[in-house]
Amino acid sequence: MTITLIGREPPIIKTVLLTVMFLFLGVFIFIPLVTIFSQAFQSGLAVYRKAIASPEVLSSIKLTLTIAVVCVPLNTVFGVLLAWAITKFSFPGKSVLTTLIELPFAVSPVIAGLMFVLLFGAQGWFGETLQSWNVKIVFALPGIALATLFVTFPFVARTLIPLMQEIGKDDEEAALTLGATGWQTFFRVTLHNIKWGLLYGVILTNARAIGEYGAVAVVSGLVRGETTTLPLTIGILFDEYAFSAAFAAASLLTLLALLTLALKTMMERMLEREKIDR
Amino acid sequence: MLDVTGIAAPGAWAKTGNTSLPGFGLTLGLSLTYLSLLLVIPLAALALYTARLSLPEYWAILADERVSSAFCVSFLSAGYAAVINGFFGFIIAWALTRYAFFGRKLIDALIDLPFAIPTAVAGISLAVMFSPNGILGKILMPLGIEIAFSKAGIVIALIFIGLPFVVRTVQPVIRELDREVEEAAMSLGANFAQRFFKVIFPSILPALLTGVALSFARGVGEYATIIFISSNMPYETEIVPLLIVKKLLQFDYVGASALGSAMLILAFLLLLVINLLQSWMKRDGNAA
């Protein structure tokens, strides 16, 4: 790749393009990152600590983590099941199913939230039934979890399907021929083959589950301290001009985003290495 | 009703795939049940709510001046942002793949920041940067360029959100560019401009258009990055997703469904266009 070609583009072009790139990324990547941290620490470390330890922020951190703990494992398990069904077998309607997986990425997150309000809201399909049972879904934790499940569903399946197609099913067939049971084959052969891809999907699912705003905003009802996830709390604080507090909370999510990027890059390297080995 | 398709799926189907692997009924049955609960039933709810309207009523809602201006704002802003991303995303993808420079790997990883960072966090950060007292607002305000609370602010937010789509679609194609074709053109005496416009650019074009379309599709539905930087004024800077939220707050479920279903139909059409572009990309790749 680094073979120097005789007379590629004129050197002036390289200088111009690199300058344009640095200016553009400066405005859209570096300055936003710096702004978050400088705003967070603007009023000093004590204010920062107080903002993060406030009951409102702490309870929304708890809610956000609960949502992630519920949604990430569910979408991981079902993502693997779906990828197995799609890549190991052929059946009618497979392409429709593959398109359906893309749906959550194609629609606005607000519409995802809207659909659950239509189902479970006060005037929704099951609204009255739920009320008579005294069950609350919308404006409560289950609604937030459902909306999050919806928007984060594609990540695991979408990462695994191309990977499992590429790996093929020779390894599994060999294991079965040698007398392994279906479960043994899955846990010892398949899971081993797809581990980096699976982790990659899990990391992306987790990042989106923790950061989702639009879908969650619609079903949350914004009951402060009860149904406000961390991103929603950041929005509320910002709208109240509590900038230091909003950015203090935002800095936590930014650190998580940077960690996500680091892990994601690592997984990509692992996947690349295994691809070369194959 | 819905999960029957999965559980009743006969093993005979699986045999058509000529495979001896187990778990067909289990995996397909469970995933279809899950997808029905999570995706299909909610979609059906949206469709049925919209179906309560007659076609003229549906049109009346969409033709309402506030609604149609929201559609204009959403689609135009997404369009501008996608085109701008097409231009700069191409330059960035080119620089990242063809040049060696200090910090290249770090920058390459940071391109995905808009995917990883929560949209609300990005939204408030951009809003502060471009506010009259912000680091960029302070420079732009005296020049008479107002970004925060204007339509330009919406475009800025959507450029941020859409950038990785273009870079990540174009990058692999630039990497695989056939050096031999380029060298052949060069040895035939083509100068750089000729090589670029006659050889390089045409082979990148399908990927570039795919990336622009992806960026556009994402921008049309975006909510959180925009609402903090925009003034959210009806007829001026109000986007469709925000109007849906407002209708829901007034318990206008039917109105919200009408807008939601219109957005959904447009999203499906976009998905179709993107699929067509992608198959063009693949065909081009195979022909090369």
Side-chain angles (χ1 to χ4, degrees), chain A residues 9 32 75 107-108 123 125 264, chain B residues 34 48-49 99 112 221 264:
Chain A
E9 58 255 38
N75 274 345
V107 307
S108 169
Q123 296 164 39
W125 258 12
K264 186 175 152 294
Chain B
Y34 190 69
L48 285 175
Y49 259 93
Y99 305 143
D112 282 332
L264 197 68

Side-chain angles (χ1 to χ4, degrees), chain A residues 68-250:
Chain A
V69 166
V70 172
C71 295
V72 176
L74 268 176
N75 274 345
T76 306
V77 169
F78 283 99
V80 171
L81 286 174
L82 187 61
W84 179 278
I86 284 185
T87 56
K88 306 292 181 195
F89 308 100
S90 54
F91 50 91
K94 192 155 118 172
S95 57
V96 178
L97 196 57
T98 326
T99 317
L100 193 64
I101 301 171
E102 299 278 320
L103 178 79
F105 282 171
V107 307
S108 169
V110 166
I111 294 171
L114 164 72
M115 295 196 286
F116 289 104
V117 173
L118 295 179
L119 277 176
F120 303 117
Q123 296 164 39
W125 258 12
F126 301 116
E128 274 178 35
T129 324
L130 288 170
Q131 223 155 28
S132 66
W133 290 350
N134 233 340
V135 177
K136 235 181 157 188
I137 292 187
V138 163
F139 303 159
L141 190 130
I144 300 175
L146 278 172
T148 309
L149 281 174
F150 182 97
V151 292
T152 58
F153 178 73
F155 289 107
V156 170
R158 236 169 146 249
T159 320
L160 286 185
I161 290 170
L163 178 68
M164 284 165 82
Q165 261 161 357
E166 202 186 294
I167 295 175
K169 41 194 180 190
D170 294 354
D171 289 358
E172 281 91 352
E173 274 163 353
L176 287 167
T177 316
L178 293 171
T181 66
W183 289 112
Q184 281 173 331
T185 310
F186 173 75
F187 282 109
R188 299 207 189 148
V189 178
T190 311
L191 214 51
H192 174 79
N193 280 345
I194 62 170
K195 58 181 182 292
W196 299 121
L198 185 61
L199 271 173
Y200 184 89
V202 170
I203 289 164
L204 293 183
T205 308
N206 182 60
R208 185 70 193 266
I210 283 178
E212 179 53 30
Y213 188 96
V216 170
V218 174
V219 293
S220 138
L222 300 177
V223 188
R224 289 182 86 150
E226 277 180 47
T227 62
T228 45
T229 61
L230 192 52
L232 293 178
T233 300
I234 292 171
I236 292 173
L237 290 170
F238 186 81
D239 283 337
E240 290 173 346
Y241 302 102
F243 290 156
S244 299
F247 278 101

